[in-house]
Amino acid sequence: MQTVSAHNGRQILFEQPPHRHHEEIMSHAEAGTDTERVPANSYEHELGNVLRLTVAQALAGSNAVVVYATGAIVGNMLAPNPALATLPISIFVVGMAVFTLPTGVIARRHGRRAAFLTGTGCGVLVGLLSALAVVMGSFWLFCAGMIFGGAYAAVVLSFRFAAADCAPPERRPRAMSAVMAGGVFAGVIGPQLVTHTMDLWLPYMFAATYLAQAAVAFISALVLLGVRLPVPTGGKAAAGRPLGVIMRQPRFITAVTCGIVSYLLMNFLMTAAPLAMRLCGLPQETANLGLQWHVIAMYAPSFFTGRLISRFGANRIVVTGLALIAASAVTGLAGVEVGHFWLSLILLGVGWNFGFLGASALVLECHRPEERTRVQSINDFIVFGFMAVGSFASGGVLATYGWDTVLWVSFIPLTVAVAALAVSASPRLRGQG
């Protein structure tokens, strides 16, 4: 049996009799190889689960695409003040942050499938409330609906960790990557949903879009009914180290920091981009298509990101992602033509994929199997909490200072993430991670 021992700050893998394995401190990947902790039959539904989660990602992911494509525009139509135009998207992000912890509790006590179905229920609700808000001309009802949209999005993003639970340690990055690849289809479904439904119920622009989104969320729930994941027992759900101990690990701090920066900047720039294109005189269809290519770029690399992480390591993939996000900002600063916006959004999407999936792979190295739902939900809570700050700031910065300032501000968190990676790479801290 393989176990891990600490020696001079380093982890050493060695063979040892089975009766001593509980005395050792193991990383998540190493603990997953322990047959006493993870029974072999835990992975018997791996392929079916990953396929269903991939399809659900494609369907459910279109919810976020619809929100980002229309949220600021509908907000601008309904808001009492233009500075509040991006408030609905900001509330959507707050919903993501607020509901990550309750989602983790539901998954820990009743299993992940129960959390999935709760989320898809919120997905149906956001579509119905948003359509009603457009018909009634109620900005605040539209904002209220976005809270449930954020809850739905939080559950959807937990699909990647559910996929990792389905697979043995050596295949976890690829399982996560495969599910995230479903977002490629979300990138097509979402914008096309907007384009073909936004004028179906005039004069209530986008009302039909939100009704269609509710229908897609219901179909996603039907797909998720077939996911077969074990329901944790009460004892297992309560096991594990205190969160404070886990969160003080240098590797966890680095993972969270890089996840925050990757997601914060993706949201910060993507929230402002459709409205910026509109303010520059570009048509709505152009903004929809630009967003479509952005979302495709977010998820298309997932077909190979897992293999890249396995081959080169999560740290290098995160660094590549941050560099691409910086390139996105530079491209945006080069001009305000259609090509500048589209290329900037494409680079932003690929950069987010590398940065976020790389950071998620780092999180998997920081917890044991029995700790996973708590650690993963607290990671997402922190990431989405900071992302909400960026979302709230985006509309105000765009309205007050313009698109160029939005781009320049993005270099500040990029510098923080690079510094965190550099510090964690020191030999002393590597041994502690």
Side-chain angles (χ1 to χ4, degrees), residues 22 38-39 119 179 194 202 230 285 294 307-308 321 324-325 332 338-339 342 348 384-385 387 400 405 424:
H22 289 294
V38 183
V179 169
V194 175
L202 293 177
E285 290 76 11
H294 166 71
R307 288 182 171 83
L308 293 177
L324 288 168
I325 293 173
V338 173
W342 283 8
L348 180 65
F384 299 150
M387 190 174 79
T400 306
T405 301
S424 69

Side-chain angles (χ1 to χ4, degrees), residues 167-415:
E170 67 275 9
R171 290 202 295 270
R172 282 174 187 158
R174 294 187 184 185
M176 280 201 311
S177 197
V179 169
M180 294 294 284
V184 172
F185 302 98
V188 175
I189 294 170
Q192 293 305 314
L193 203 64
V194 175
T195 298
H196 294 293
T197 62
M198 62 183 185
D199 295 324
L200 286 183
W201 191 358
L202 293 177
Y204 307 115
M205 189 176 186
F206 299 121
T209 300
Y210 291 116
L211 292 178
Q213 179 263 307
V216 171
F218 179 76
I219 296 170
S220 177
L222 297 179
V223 172
L224 290 168
L225 280 172
V227 174
R228 303 177 67 181
L229 292 170
V231 178
T233 62
K236 185 174 181 180
R241 297 166 292 172
L243 272 177
V245 173
I246 300 168
M247 293 172 67
R248 285 195 295 271
Q249 297 175 98
R251 198 157 187 79
F252 181 81
I253 294 171
T254 300
V256 170
T257 301
C258 293
I260 287 170
V261 171
S262 299
Y263 225 124
L264 182 151
L265 289 181
M266 187 279 292
N267 190 71
F268 184 69
L269 297 177
M270 186 175 69
T271 298
L275 187 54
M277 282 189 265
R278 187 85 169 232
L279 294 175
C280 289
L282 300 176
Q284 178 63 39
E285 290 76 11
T286 298
N288 289 348
L289 193 56
L291 193 62
Q292 174 177 309
W293 283 110
H294 166 71
V295 177
I296 291 172
M298 285 173 64
Y299 294 104
S302 297
F303 288 109
F304 54 82
T305 307
R307 288 182 171 83
L308 293 177
I309 292 172
S310 298
R311 180 172 181 179
F312 298 107
N315 278 35
R316 291 182 180 177
I317 301 305
V318 172
V319 169
T320 303
L322 296 175
L324 288 168
I325 293 173
S328 166
V330 170
T331 302
L333 289 167
V336 291
E337 302 298 325
V338 173
H340 294 106
F341 278 109
W342 283 8
L343 180 56
S344 178
L345 286 170
I346 290 170
L347 291 172
L348 180 65
V350 179
W352 172 84
N353 182 279
F354 283 13
F356 186 61
L357 271 179
S360 297
L362 290 176
V363 171
L364 293 179
E365 300 173 8
C366 301
H367 61 72
R368 303 170 183 171
E370 65 272 18
E371 300 163 348
R372 59 182 174 238
T373 53
R374 286 189 301 136
V375 175
Q376 292 162 7
S377 60
I378 196 67
N379 169 77
D380 284 356
F381 174 74
I382 296 170
V383 169
F384 299 150
F386 275 88
M387 190 174 79
V389 175
S391 184
F392 275 110
S394 180
V397 173
L398 178 65
T400 306
Y401 301 105
W403 175 238
D404 279 4
T405 301
V406 170
L407 296 166
W408 278 114
V409 167
S410 66
F411 289 102
I412 298 173
L414 280 171
T415 303

Side-chain angles (χ1 to χ4, degrees), residues 14-36:
F14 64 100
E15 297 292 327
Q16 182 171 298
H19 68 278
R20 292 187 57 196
H21 80 278
H22 289 294
E23 301 173 5
E24 308 300 333
I25 297 175
M26 296 183 291
S27 71
H28 175 73
E30 294 156 344
T33 64
D34 192 324
T35 56
E36 195 166 330

